[in-house]
């Protein structure tokens, strides 16, 4: 069986940035396994601009950003297998991948970085009521069709869900000459970035129906109409609020889910994000297996993906070099009041001076402190005038704040008034 | 009159306030201040789209305006983009349309398309 030091699952921005980091820290035996025909992952179909302001200090489109990272990997001669799919990982870190040329191949790796991205929730996942005609598709599928193959999925399009991909696609459809009739969002606020509401909906007078959902899909062979209704606080359609739109496509932008089954299948612990549980090295519950990017938790900014991937790359390199120390610290981290999730879930080692905490709030909130409570004592408070679920917060804390090196950290929101 | 805007220059989406004297607050970086003034005086946008490619590894190639164009020109720019057909190979940065609509802005390719025989 072939043996390598580091095997990376997925050649998107996370996998590429992790590979470059590990290489630059001295690891030479690296292979990247990528299912698609090119490196770069989801970025290749995101032709809009707005990537990489942090990384390159300029605003790039997705393909341009992907190309820069792919080039860094190629310049280092890192081995990449395209059109190759990882089908299993074992607890002994034997990875099986398949492709047309080599068939099924087993590789034993000293370390694995999981960087397989996420997938989209589809109509089945939320049980859209009504007929099951053609013309119901996810925003990512519609994006791939138009941006890589030149096919527009409809002429009169309705969008369910206000995630970023849906917003970006509303503009894209409009520019290509389709009529976007509206976007329905079940929550009372949008799940997309503010800038996308402004430049994708408002710029083109596309209505956003908050607290609305699709209550009926109508069509024999192909979508003919969708009916939307306002929802009550329990998200049930309110009778009498129906609106019907004549349309030929229903596009869903209703959430992304980490593509983590290769790890969860072998019992690697899963967190509330549906990605793996990790410590600050981004090491999972199976030593030597690391995770980063959208497979760990869904990111809105590629800059954050890249930073996270570099940590995974460095940690994997240290692990391979026998220089990753996990003994000294043992702290659990939990999300409490108002905080949806916190990453990492565990602090284990002492090799990095800082811990990058990442969190999302449950709902839009104003004038609050993000409070870090360690063994009952507040060690850090960060004030936020506005904080919204669609924007991930990154807060770096020095490891030295955790004096006892053991115990529990809780992160929660506290209203400002209470503290004064 | 105070005006509230959301900066679209990067995904951070800062909430900006512009007062009567056109002074801007709420911006995390200087680009936000410039954006707010521009947005109130002459709004512009980067336009991204695709153009048809012949003999390429893909049948379309992604493109963008090399710098922002006036917002009211977006659809006219799209019409120009839709007239173009390229022949593979295409490289990132290739000029697809020079000086589109005399706006002093080029349309450039944002991905590489290989020649496939
Ligand atoms: C529509 C959209 C718009 C966005 N807009 C912005 C923006 O404007 N600005 C910004 O900064 N960020 C934006 N982002 C966020 C950011 O770009 C992404 O979160 C980031 O690119 C994700 O990188 P990744 O490597 O984790 O995942 P991906 O890019 O999805 O890469 C995962 C890779 O793994 C491969 N893979 C999966 N399973 C397997 C397997 N079993 N075997 C082999 N390979 C496998 C996939 O083929 C894929 O190439 C956007 C994201 C989306 C989806
Ligand atoms: S002000 Fe700066 S940081 Fe804030 S959204 Fe604009 S460009 Fe981004």
């Amino acid at each position: 069986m072939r043996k390598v030091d580091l095997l990376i699952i997925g050649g998107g921005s996370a996998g590429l940035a992790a590979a470059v980091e590990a290489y630059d820290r001295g690891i030479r035996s690296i292979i990247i396994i990528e299912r698609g025909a090119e490196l770069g992952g989801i970025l290749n179909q995101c032709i809009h601009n707005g990537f990489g302001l942090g990384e390159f200090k300029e605003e790039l489109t997705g393909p341009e950003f992907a190309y820069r990272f792919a080039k860094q990997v190629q310049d280092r001669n890192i081995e990449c297998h395209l059109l190759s799919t990882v089908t299993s990982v074992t607890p002994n870190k034997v990875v099986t991948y398949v492709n047309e040329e080599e068939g099924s191949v087993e590789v034993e790796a000293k370390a694995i970085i999981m960087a397989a991205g996420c997938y989209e929730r589809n109509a089945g996942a939320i049980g859209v009521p009504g007929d099951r005609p053609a013309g119901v598709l996810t925003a990512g599928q519609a994006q791939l069709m138009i941006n890589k193959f030149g096919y527009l999925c409809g002429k009169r399009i309705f969008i369910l869900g206000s995630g970023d991909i849906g917003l970006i696609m509303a503009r894209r459809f409009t520019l290509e000459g389709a009529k976007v009739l509206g976007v329905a969002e079940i929550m009372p606020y949008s799940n997309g970035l503010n800038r996308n509401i402004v430049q994708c909906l408002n710029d083109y007078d596309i209505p956003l129906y908050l607290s609305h959902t699709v209550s009926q899909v109508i069509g024999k062979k192909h979508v003919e109409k969708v009916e939307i209704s306002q929802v009550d606080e329990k998200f049930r359609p309110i009778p009498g609020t129906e609106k019907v739109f004549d349309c030929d496509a229903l596009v869903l932008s209703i959430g992304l889910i980490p593509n983590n089954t290769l790890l969860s299948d072998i019992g690697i612990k899963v967190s509330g994000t549906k990605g793996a549980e990790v410590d600050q090295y981004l090491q999972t519950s199976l030593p030597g297996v690391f995770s980063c990017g959208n497979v760990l938790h869904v990111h809105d900014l590629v800059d954050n993906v890249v930073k996270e991937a570099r940590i995974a790359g460095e940690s994997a390199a240290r692990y391979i070099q026998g220089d990753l120390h996990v003994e000294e610290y043992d702290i659990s981290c939990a999300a409490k009041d108002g905080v949806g999730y916190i990453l990492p879930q565990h602090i284990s080692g002492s090799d990095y001076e800082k811990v990058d905490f990442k969190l999302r709030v449950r709902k839009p909130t104003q004038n609050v402190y993000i409070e870090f409570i360690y063994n009952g004592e507040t060690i850090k408070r960060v004030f936020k005038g506005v904080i919204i679920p669609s924007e991930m917060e990154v807060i770096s804390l020095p490891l030295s704040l955790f004096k006892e090196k053991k115990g529990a950290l809780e992160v929660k929101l506290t209203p400002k008034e209470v503290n004064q | 009159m105070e005006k509230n805007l959301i900066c679209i220059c990067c995904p951070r989406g800062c909430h900006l306030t512009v007062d009567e004297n056109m002074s801007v607050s709420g911006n995390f970086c200087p680009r936000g201040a410039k954006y707010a003034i521009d947005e109130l005086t002459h709004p512009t946008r980067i336009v991204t789209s695709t153009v048809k490619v012949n003999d390429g590894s893909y049948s379309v190639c992604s493109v963008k305006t090399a710098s922002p164009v006036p917002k009211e020109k977006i659809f006219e720019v799209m019409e120009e983009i839709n007239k173009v057909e390229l022949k593979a190979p295409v490289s990132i940065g290739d000029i697809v349309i020079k000086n589109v609509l005399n706006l002093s802005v080029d349309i450039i390719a944002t991905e590489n398309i290989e020649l496939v025989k």
Side-chain angles (χ1 to χ4, degrees):
Chain A
M1 196 190 311
R2 184 171 173 198
K3 290 189 162 74
V4 298
D5 283 347
L6 176 58
L7 185 140
I8 298 177
I9 307 174
S13 42
L16 299 179
V20 167
E21 185 68 27
Y23 183 97
D24 291 350
R25 290 183 178 273
I27 307 300
R28 289 295 174 268
S29 160
I30 305 177
I31 62 174
I32 300 176
I33 310 293
E34 166 55 48
R35 186 170 59 189
E38 53 194 345
L39 296 176
I42 192 76
L43 291 177
N44 286 311
Q45 68 182 66
C46 298
I47 65 162
H48 60 282
N49 63 309
F51 296 86
L53 197 63
E55 186 63 28
F56 296 112
K57 304 284 172 281
E58 53 180 313
E59 216 179 317
L60 301 172
T61 64
E64 291 171 304
F65 188 97
Y67 174 71
R68 293 202 183 181
F69 270 90
K71 185 145 189 324
Q72 291 182 18
V73 165
Q74 280 149 7
D75 288 346
R76 288 167 177 76
N77 276 319
I78 296 172
E79 185 182 327
C80 299
H81 294 259
L82 296 176
L83 294 170
S84 304
T85 302
V86 173
T87 52
S88 73
V89 176
T90 71
N92 303 326
K93 295 192 284 264
V94 175
V95 173
T96 306
Y97 68 88
V98 293
N99 64 30
E100 264 188 14
E101 266 165 42
E102 299 170 277
S104 173
V105 184
E106 287 190 347
V107 183
E108 188 180 327
K110 286 186 190 150
I112 296 171
I113 296 179
M114 178 58 160
C118 56
Y119 63 90
E120 295 177 281
R121 290 173 76 194
N122 58 26
I126 56 161
V128 176
D131 299 332
R132 286 285 173 270
V136 180
L137 69 172
T138 66
Q141 288 166 341
Q143 186 180 47
L144 182 73
M145 277 167 62
I146 181 84
N147 291 347
K148 296 300 286 187
F149 300 101
Y151 298 110
L152 188 57
C153 67
K155 287 275 174 227
R156 293 174 59 81
I157 301 172
F158 197 86
I159 300 178
L160 174 61
S162 63
D164 284 311
I165 320 180
L167 301 178
I168 298 270
M169 289 316 292
R171 172 178 62 184
R172 184 81 185 106
F173 294 144
T174 308
L175 287 180
E176 287 295 347
K179 172 89 185 143
V180 177
L181 302 160
V183 177
E185 168 59 56
I186 199 164
M187 302 303 283
Y189 49 85
S190 163
N191 276 314
L193 295 173
N194 280 329
R195 69 184 312 238
N196 288 336
I197 305 271
V198 175
Q199 59 177 354
C200 299
L201 299 188
N202 301 357
D203 270 8
Y204 301 96
D205 299 319
I206 298 169
L208 174 60
Y209 299 96
L210 294 175
S211 296
H212 276 75
T213 192
V214 169
S215 43
Q216 192 82 19
V217 179
I218 302 151
K220 288 208 174 65
K221 284 208 171 113
H222 206 95
V223 176
E224 290 161 24
K225 294 177 178 25
V226 298
E227 176 200 87
I228 68 167
S229 300
Q230 203 179 328
V231 296
D232 62 18
E233 60 290 347
K234 293 205 171 115
F235 305 118
R236 291 172 306 207
I238 304 172
T241 60
E242 299 86 359
K243 286 189 192 63
V244 176
F245 297 87
D246 284 320
C247 60
D248 56 6
L250 173 63
V251 169
L252 309 172
S253 176
I254 50 180
L256 301 169
I257 300 170
N259 191 10
N260 187 47
T261 43
L262 287 171
L263 300 191
S264 58
D265 278 355
I266 55 166
I268 289 179
K269 279 190 198 152
V270 176
S271 81
T273 67
K274 301 212 164 61
E277 257 187 44
V278 288
D279 63 9
Q280 84 282 18
Y281 297 125
L282 303 179
Q283 183 164 235
T284 67
S285 61
L286 181 62
V289 177
F290 302 80
S291 177
C292 59
N294 279 355
V295 71
L296 182 58
H297 58 141
V298 175
H299 291 69
D300 28 64
L301 293 187
V302 72
D303 290 321
N304 290 331
V305 171
V306 166
K307 275 192 208 141
E308 188 171 281
R310 290 199 173 115
I311 294 179
E314 174 175 354
S315 304
R318 283 175 177 270
Y319 179 86
I320 293 161
Q321 291 156 345
D323 192 24
L324 192 75
H325 300 93
V326 295
E327 307 81 22
E328 213 178 308
Y329 285 74
D330 183 11
I331 300 168
S332 66
C333 312
K336 295 281 161 167
D337 314 349
V339 178
Y341 73 80
I342 177 92
L343 215 103
Q345 290 82 14
H346 187 214
I347 300 174
S348 70
S350 54
D351 293 337
Y352 302 158
E353 280 165 16
K354 283 190 317 189
V355 184
D356 284 347
F357 288 100
K358 291 164 192 167
L359 60 99
R360 279 183 202 268
V361 293
R362 285 195 190 281
K363 57 173 201 252
T365 316
Q366 291 190 339
N367 296 320
V368 283
Y369 289 104
I370 303 173
E371 198 151 351
F372 288 78
I373 302 166
Y374 171 52
N375 290 342
E377 205 180 303
T378 300
I379 53 166
K380 176 82 181 177
R381 289 202 315 189
V382 180
F383 177 71
K384 289 282 159 187
V386 195
I387 183 164
I388 55 177
S390 57
E391 287 174 29
M392 187 179 84
E393 293 291 326
V394 185
I395 297 170
S396 249
L397 297 186
L399 200 56
S400 56
L401 281 176
F402 302 92
K403 292 203 181 65
E404 292 106 20
K405 302 184 179 179
K406 301 262 169 317
L409 173 73
E410 291 185 347
V411 185
K412 63 175 191 178
L413 297 185
T414 25
K416 193 174 179 202
E417 299 81 55
V418 176
N419 288 282
Q420 283 177 338
Chain B
M1 243 264 292
E2 258 192 17
K3 278 244 158 61
N4 294 310
L5 300 173
I6 290 171
C7 182
I8 60 166
C9 300
C10 87
R12 195 181 176 104
C14 294
H15 292 254
L16 310 175
T17 309
V18 189
D19 69 12
E20 309 80 53
N21 308 318
M22 292 298 257
S23 106
V24 182
S25 54
N27 53 313
F28 179 77
C29 83
R31 288 159 49 103
K34 181 172 181 320
Y35 168 78
I37 304 296
D38 287 351
E39 185 69 11
L40 294 181
T41 50
H42 56 99
T44 60
R45 298 286 185 266
I46 297 263
V47 178
T48 63
S49 188
T50 51
V51 297
K52 188 168 180 220
V53 194
N54 294 311
D55 306 326
S57 43
Y58 284 93
S59 52
V60 294
C61 173
S62 57
V63 299
K64 68 175 181 185
T65 56
S67 50
V69 297
K71 199 169 135 183
E72 71 277 6
K73 294 282 183 192
I74 293 177
F75 281 97
E76 284 172 61
V77 169
M78 278 301 293
E79 276 174 33
E80 296 304 309
I81 290 176
N82 286 341
K83 287 180 194 160
V84 180
E85 271 186 38
L86 301 176
K87 190 171 164 357
V90 184
S91 303
I92 288 186
D94 282 1
I95 295 180
V96 173
I97 306 175
K98 190 139 189 68
N99 188 16
V100 66
L101 299 171
N102 288 320
L103 294 170
S104 308
V105 175
D106 297 337
I107 307 285
I108 59 172
T110 57
E111 71 181 321
N112 296 326
I113 303 283
E114 285 163 32
L115 175 67
V116 182
K117 280 275 154 58

